[in-house]
Amino acid sequence: MQYVKLQVENFVAVVTMDAPPVNAVSAGLMDELIATFDQMSDRDDVRVVVLTGAGKIFCAGADIKSRAGKTFEPGERWTHSRRARELSYSIIECKKPVIAAINGPALGAGLGIAVSCDILMCSENASLGLPEIDVGLMGGGRHAMRVCGHSLTRRMMLTGDRITGAELYRRGIVEACVPLEELMTTAMAMATRIAAKSPVASRTAKHAAATIENMTLRDGYRFEQNMTAELGQSEDSREAMRAFAEKRPPVFTGR
């Protein structure tokens, strides 16, 4: 692939956006990310994915320079918008948990990519922002609202302010804010912990979390109960219970 690098080791996949100089979102980058996350869902040697950016920026969002003065052919805008939506869904719906290691600014569409992940971690030089208001665009607000809440989302949309890593951590939006040189170590430690769990349980937990997010309490809890019943029929579930009773580490097979 041209814009995405992939490394897999010990059940952890590291997916790196590598589109110099700022990992701006192009059709090529989106297509490669979608293909990569679809592949992650089907690979038995992957239990967790860590997503990061090459260089000093996680993802600068839309490639404004390429869009300035561009004349869109009929239907081209709709195709682009559909591709951007599917990129988010490819992460949200990926069967494996995805950790965002936000190594620098994640702006506009880059914010959308970051917050589509399951667990967010960032470096001290990272930031989230919605600069669209300053460049004649819109987008990313609904993604931000999932994690940032009412006032902060509107602040970003109306001012273009970037929210620093320290503030993101203070507000509980990210799970860690560490020096840049410690970011991947921190993210990989979390990934290793999750990879040691039953892959059946991890897939089920992610599916449940994504599904119940927009449900009522009653419907969401009912869905979780159904997932519990389904999970309980797996060999991994029985092994987890046996290991707990026998006070030993479980040996999971993914079945």
Side-chain angles (χ1 to χ4, degrees), residues 78-154:
W78 307 116
T79 300
H80 175 82
S81 295
R82 184 176 296 106
R83 183 186 284 116
R85 290 196 299 272
E86 290 306 319
L87 170 55
S88 295
Y89 293 137
S90 74
I91 300 171
I92 294 171
E93 297 172 356
C94 178
K95 292 183 179 297
K96 312 301 170 62
V98 183
I99 299 171
I102 308 170
N103 58 299
L107 308 176
L111 178 150
I113 292 171
V115 303
S116 294
C117 298
D118 299 293
I119 296 174
L120 279 59
M121 297 181 168
C122 75
S123 58
E124 292 172 342
N125 63 304
S127 60
L128 295 182
L130 296 173
E132 285 90 345
I133 195 166
D134 294 323
V135 292
L137 298 173
M138 290 293 295
R142 186 61 187 90
H143 283 293
M145 202 172 290
R146 292 179 61 228
V147 300
C148 295
H150 177 97
S151 180
L152 181 57
T153 298
R154 284 162 173 77

